[in-house]
Amino acid sequence: MRRYGIVWALLLALSASAAAGQDLAAYKQEALQEMEQLRETLRHLAQELWRYAETALQEQRSAALLADALEAEGFRVQRGVAGMPTAFIAEWGSGRPIIGILAEYDALPGVGNAPVPERHPREDEVSSGHGCGHNLFGAASTVGAIVLKRIMERHRIPGTVRLYGTPAEETVVGKVYMAREGVFDDLDAAIEWHPGTETAVRNQPGRAMNNFIVRFYGQAAHASADPWNGRSALDAVELMNHAANMMREHVHPTARIHYVITDGGEAPNVVPERAEVWYYVRDINRERVEFMYEWLKKIAEGAALMTRTEYEIEFITGVHEVLLNRPLQEAVQANLELVGPPRFDETEQRFARRLQEFLKIEPVGLDTTIKPLPEGPEPPSGGSTDVAEVSWITPTVGFTVATAAKDVPWHSWATTACHGTSIGYKGAEVAARVIAATGLDMLLRPELLQAAREEFLRLTGGRPYQSPLPPDQPPPLPSHTDR
């Protein structure tokens, strides 16, 4: 009799699991339909963010737009998080699991453009633009959170959905300072997405990075009449840069060192008494970045000694590489395939081809496929992101959706143009659906969160997150520009 009891219990468990699976599938379909009701909301948010085009840590209207929309939907909103006026957290529900959704909304300086397939300034002469598509990022994440909340509310699904308004991603600042303040610490998992030229799960870790400025101080003098009385801060900058360029031969091939001289003096006939250079240093992990950072600090000291100048270093921010989480990647891949890629019409494809022709690249239009998820991680590529800090605190997953013409230069006027049209909006709609579907997986599949947590602990070795920031350093208000 006991054997039959065990069999009966197993049958009941399998039946309950099948019923839960049926409910989850039904809830996902309902979420996809709910998105239809919010399409115009998403487009309005994306258009307004595109129009504002506010750069890092200056996104007052952008942050308020999204926070107000969430508050109107019934989310509890906390503004001015982690010492940044344009950071916010919007939360709905209670108890566990707690699912985080990341939203970005900062624009880039100098890449503004009208929503047309050629280089043409905006009529309002705004020079900044969403060349990275954060207008779509912020709008889709917000609407995805609203869809998830509505399904949870309608079916009394327990748990908490939390939308994080994270400013200044382009300067790799917002999430770093939020992470140091512990705002992600209680999450069970986090979801992020990003506009792109293809639709795929994120499967490469990017690069860790340090972002810092070196300032040199010398003595002004007449550059012709009495140069011997001068000590050139610009000489110190140039010596530092020369040494950094010599350093390139002796670092790993994965390293990246780049700089701009942000102050080199004001007139050739005056020995510059002040000069500064802004550096980004990147590699595949924090350890290598810290090694190069210490090396460059010694180079700065040497440049000061050689020019009899003084110097100071302002550390702005630093990030880790992104930790990928395979169980969550597989869940997002399934949801991308459920939702499907953006369905661009011939008018949109023609826009993309005209843009490509203007840029003198192959006019192949827009990508309408979903990339398969490779068996393992791909090599690091691209830049750095402050999403990495969240991934070292909680299991995190990301994906991209096609929102711009294939092969166009990113962070450019061309991507800004695409992100102000229906091309970008259609990609954002796909992203919002995938966010909502993945959120439902996290809420209703405890085995998924368990597997994600085990993978996270394996990758981190159980070590607690350590911020790259000094403990008391305030956010850099006003911001520095572009990452």
Side-chain angles (χ1 to χ4, degrees), residues 60 62-81 84-93 105 142 145-146 160-166 178:
Q60 288 88 355
S62 301
L65 177 74
L66 300 183
D68 289 349
L70 289 156
E71 200 164 50
E73 183 66 26
F75 283 72
R76 304 177 294 276
V77 178
Q78 177 186 355
R79 304 174 195 245
V81 172
M84 293 175 288
T86 55
F88 69 90
I89 300 172
E91 181 178 274
W92 187 89
Y105 33 84
T142 297
I146 290 172
T160 304
V161 56
R162 191 181 291 163
L163 188 289
Y164 290 88
T166 65
M178 295 172 81

Side-chain angles (χ1 to χ4, degrees), residues 362-389:
E362 188 177 1
V364 295
L366 295 148
D367 193 321
T368 58
T369 65
I370 295 174
K371 305 301 178 188
L373 179 61
E375 291 185 3
E378 296 163 282
S381 64
S384 310
T385 175
D386 58 10
V387 170
E389 303 313 284

Side-chain angles (χ1 to χ4, degrees), residues 236-253:
V237 163
E238 291 187 300
L239 282 167
M240 178 172 183
N241 292 346
H242 179 70
N245 289 325
M246 296 300 98
M247 174 182 167
R248 294 181 196 278
E249 184 181 358
H250 307 287
V251 297
H252 289 87

Side-chain angles (χ1 to χ4, degrees), residues 107-391:
L108 290 158
V111 299
N113 205 73
V116 296
E118 61 269 341
R119 189 70 167 112
H120 195 284
R122 286 171 50 160
E123 291 183 3
D124 58 10
E125 299 183 349
V126 172
S127 62
S128 54
H130 278 286
C132 207
H134 291 181
N135 63 313
L136 308 173
F137 191 156
S141 293
T142 297
V143 170
I146 290 172
V147 171
L148 186 56
K149 171 260 182 185
R150 289 186 180 183
I151 302 303
M152 293 170 68
E153 185 174 37
R154 193 173 297 149
H155 297 284
R156 299 183 180 180
I157 298 171
T160 304
V161 56
R162 191 181 291 163
L163 188 289
Y164 290 88
T166 65
E169 191 278 336
E170 295 297 354
T171 53
V172 201
V173 163
K175 298 179 197 67
V176 185
Y177 285 83
M178 295 172 81
R180 187 186 63 181
E181 298 306 309
V183 302
F184 306 111
D185 287 358
D186 62 346
L187 288 180
D188 289 289
I191 310 166
E192 63 98 13
W193 82 285
H194 204 285
T197 57
E198 64 180 26
T199 303
V201 175
R202 182 186 181 101
N203 194 44
Q204 61 85 20
R207 288 181 171 87
M209 183 265 276
N210 274 2
N211 169 349
F212 61 97
I213 287 175
V214 184
R215 297 186 182 92
F216 292 93
Y217 301 95
Q219 172 63 54
H222 195 297
S224 181
D226 63 335
W228 51 85
N229 286 327
R231 299 191 304 278
S232 174
L234 179 58
D235 285 353
V237 163
E238 291 187 300
L239 282 167
M240 178 172 183
N241 292 346
H242 179 70
N245 289 325
M246 296 300 98
M247 174 182 167
R248 294 181 196 278
E249 184 181 358
H250 307 287
V251 297
H252 289 87
T254 50
R256 300 289 185 271
I257 305 169
H258 27 270
Y259 59 80
V260 291
I261 298 173
T262 46
D263 183 358
E266 298 185 65
N269 62 341
V270 178
V271 174
E273 67 176 352
R274 183 184 185 282
E276 71 174 36
V277 59
W278 183 12
Y279 269 81
Y280 280 14
V281 181
R282 314 187 204 231
D283 210 329
I284 58 172
N285 57 43
R286 285 291 320 155
E287 290 76 18
R288 288 189 182 181
V289 167
E290 288 294 342
F291 174 77
M292 290 191 293
Y293 179 56
E294 292 301 319
W295 189 349
L296 285 162
K297 285 164 65 176
K298 292 178 181 177
I299 286 174
E301 181 183 6
L305 288 170
M306 285 186 284
T307 54
R308 298 182 303 135
T309 57
E310 305 295 325
Y311 79 102
E312 66 179 9
I313 296 175
E314 178 190 352
F315 182 83
I316 300 170
T317 189
V319 293
H320 290 76
E321 69 282 12
V322 174
L323 286 185
L324 304 175
N325 193 287
R326 187 69 185 194
L328 296 183
Q329 288 179 295
E330 291 173 354
V332 169
Q333 182 71 25
N335 287 321
L336 279 173
E337 292 168 4
L338 171 69
V339 172
R343 294 168 176 81
F344 300 116
D345 61 29
E346 181 52 34
T347 300
E348 291 155 344
Q349 290 285 7
R350 189 162 54 248
F351 180 103
R353 290 194 295 269
R354 285 180 57 194
L355 180 61
Q356 290 159 337
E357 288 168 354
F358 185 87
L359 291 165
K360 296 180 171 55
I361 59 179
E362 188 177 1
V364 295
L366 295 148
D367 193 321
T368 58
T369 65
I370 295 174
K371 305 301 178 188
L373 179 61
E375 291 185 3
E378 296 163 282
S381 64
S384 310
T385 175
D386 58 10
V387 170
E389 303 313 284
V390 184
S391 78

